[in-house]
Amino acid sequence: MTRVIVVNGGSSSGKSGIVRCLQAVLPDPWLALGTDTLVEAMPTSLRASDGGIAFAPDGEVIVGPEFRTLERAWIEGVSAMARAGARVIVDEVFLGGAHSQQRWQNALSELRVLWVGVRCDATVAAGRETARGDRTIGMAASQAEAVHHDVVYDLEVDTTCAEAMECARTIAAHCT
């Protein structure tokens, strides 16, 4: 039985909507945790600093050593919850591509994990980013392909034209 679903995609690709739909269609309760949860839990002082996480005007995300320390603890904590019996959906942005995936693979070893790539055309994601009004402009376009670099998935969905619920049902069908 799948214990963890890791959903990776760029900003404004539709991951969060898919995660909410997954929680609605999966038969058991699943916790939804993601990189945004980690960032929101961090002290404000680390949300715009060289040591923490910073968002450049062009949409680039810069992470420092203090962020990486907290991220390591976060990943291990999510893994511990899954090992303790929780089913977890991880909403992630693999800024480092395959290197980011490797950090999660190491922590989730021996657990049944479904790796899902969420793709979205960069122009469409950029349009969503603008419409949302709460994102740094440029982030969606810069992440659309970069977060998938050398990442290996069990399944990929594309939200360019597909709705979140359709993608969630496709993913749920692979959670055996």
Side-chain angles (χ1 to χ4, degrees):
M1 177 71 151
T2 301
R3 301 298 312 169
V4 180
I5 303 169
V6 178
V7 179
N8 174 55
S11 178
S12 300
S13 64
K15 297 181 311 299
S16 297
I18 290 171
V19 169
R20 285 189 299 274
C21 290
L22 275 169
Q23 287 181 300
V25 301
L26 289 167
D28 298 307
W30 286 73
L31 297 175
L33 302 168
T35 197
D36 288 345
T37 313
L38 168 61
V39 172
E40 290 168 12
M42 292 170 50
T44 306
S45 62
L46 288 181
R47 289 191 224 153
S49 73
D50 292 341
I53 187 168
F55 303 94
D58 65 354
E60 180 186 8
V61 179
I62 304 146
V63 296
E66 291 172 344
F67 177 88
R68 288 290 182 217
T69 298
L70 293 173
E71 181 188 45
R72 273 190 298 280
W74 168 259
I75 291 170
E76 290 298 328
V78 171
S79 173
M81 284 190 285
R83 289 178 197 287
R87 290 175 180 85
V88 181
I89 305 167
V90 178
D91 179 344
E92 253 296 0
V93 181
F94 289 165
L95 294 174
H99 182 68
S100 296
Q101 183 180 34
Q102 186 64 55
R103 286 194 295 268
W104 279 100
Q105 286 172 326
N106 292 342
L108 298 171
S109 64
E110 300 176 22
L111 289 170
R112 180 102 182 250
V113 180
L114 180 67
W115 299 93
V116 180
V118 177
R119 294 192 179 267
C120 183
D121 176 80
T123 305
V124 172
R128 292 176 186 168
E129 174 181 72
T130 301
R132 286 179 66 158
D134 66 346
R135 298 291 166 120
T136 303
I137 300 300
M139 194 179 297
S142 70
Q143 293 177 3
E145 291 301 321
V147 300
H148 301 291
H149 185 71
D150 290 335
V151 175
V152 177
Y153 298 112
D154 298 309
L155 175 66
E156 292 187 48
V157 295
D158 191 325
T159 64
T160 303
C161 296
E163 295 293 326
M165 184 57 80
E166 178 185 347
C167 294
R169 286 188 177 119
T170 299
I171 296 165
H174 285 81
C175 290
T176 57

